[in-house]
Amino acid sequence: MKALVLAGGAGTRLRPITHTSAKQLVPIANKPVLFYGLEAIADAGIKDVGVVVGDTADEIRRAVGDGSDFGLRVTYLPQPRPLGLAHAVVIAREFLGDDDFLMYLGDNFIVGGITSLLDEFRTQRPDAQLMLTRVPNPSAFGVATLSADGRVRDLAEKPELPASDLAIVGAYLFTPAVHAAVRAIAPSDRGELEITDALRLMLAQGREIRPTVITGYWKDTGTVDDMLEANRSVLEVLEPAVEGTVSADSELVGRVRVCAGAVVRGSRIVGPALIGAGSVVVNSYVGPSTSIAENCRVEDSEIEFSIVLNDASISGVRRIDASLIGCHVQVAPAPRVPSSHRLVLGDHSTVRIAS
């Protein structure tokens, strides 16, 4: 079995972060979200991985290399434009050959990995297998409708009126039967080759598509809110450790990891929280669900439920909450601007001015 990992796309919902960084490399708990997927693929026993790349190809190549750090053999597959998931299968035809394969969306985050899903597929070997989960906003996803006996009855891509709340999670399993289907479909109204259209064609042809409904944690990390929520989820199982330096006048509460070379002085850190290697936290409060990457500085500030990328500086700011702060960012107080009040008041007025 091979894996096809989709790591193209512009990441427009994460701008301005993705103006200078691939969305698949934005970190969750100080590790790029793409790496979680690659590790899950390796844990499931797959070795050969094709990575579909677009405009951020060079950055993905630098981060992933030849895949040996993950125990994988990586082949890069250029996709000139993001023309749909089924189009990614089309351009990967030569790499995939006649092997079964896993298609994994590189910006998706699945707690617990995919090993059990692959074991089920290898045992049953349907023509396709989908991972589904219930979501409150199904119109934002591919949606599956199941019959009374639990079989896939229909599929739709981002329907305005969803027939169910079962979203397709970003991990698909296919036999080579999918190749004929992706070549037979036409672009949708969005101008893309939709994998849901290919799956619907397979259903019409009598192919077996097996659903697996999961109840564990899954996130499509396409928005800031999704990134923050995925970050919180990973930090909640963080193993606390102090590998750096924490002064006697500092306090660590709960699951807190201070990485090697990090320094905490005169500060209170309430976990789950992660302080990256080489970072300095001075006279500050770092609250729950916060990850601070490498070589950052937080001084005389308060921050919680946030992600701070490497080499950022936060000084004299209270308070930062639910934020994603990019690399080399500097956050500091604005200079005080003299203010005045011009008043025209009638007799016997009472005015209270905060100053």
Side-chain angles (χ1 to χ4, degrees), residues 7-8 22-25 34-35 38 51-65 74 76:
K23 65 176 180 177
Q24 297 84 5
L25 298 180
L34 175 62
F35 288 13
L38 294 175
V51 179
V52 177
V53 291
D55 291 342
T56 58
D58 291 344
E59 190 176 4
I60 299 291
R61 287 175 185 267
R62 285 194 298 270
V64 176
V74 168
Y76 291 97

Side-chain angles (χ1 to χ4, degrees), residues 96-120:
L96 294 169
D98 292 324
D99 293 313
D100 296 346
F101 68 96
L102 162 75
M103 183 168 71
Y104 193 101
L105 307 190
D107 60 353
N108 273 225
F109 182 80
I110 304 171
V111 171
I114 53 174
T115 300
S116 60
L117 178 72
L118 265 67
D119 289 344
E120 183 181 343

Side-chain angles (χ1 to χ4, degrees), residues 180-197:
V182 296
R183 289 195 305 271
I185 61 175
S188 67
D189 292 341
R190 301 194 306 160
E192 298 186 1
L193 293 179
E194 309 286 4
I195 198 65
T196 46
D197 288 343

Side-chain angles (χ1 to χ4, degrees), residues 2-9 24 49-54 75-97 101-106 170 172 174 178-183 185 187 190-196 198:
K2 293 176 180 174
L4 185 64
V5 176
L6 276 56
Q24 297 84 5
V49 178
V51 179
V52 177
V53 291
T75 300
Y76 291 97
L77 306 170
Q79 185 182 31
R81 288 193 298 152
L83 296 176
L85 304 188
H87 181 258
V89 177
V90 171
I91 67 169
R93 182 68 177 93
E94 183 177 350
F95 166 78
L96 294 169
F101 68 96
L102 162 75
M103 183 168 71
Y104 193 101
L105 307 190
Y172 306 71
F174 295 108
V178 73
H179 293 298
V182 296
R183 289 195 305 271
I185 61 175
R190 301 194 306 160
E192 298 186 1
L193 293 179
E194 309 286 4
I195 198 65
T196 46

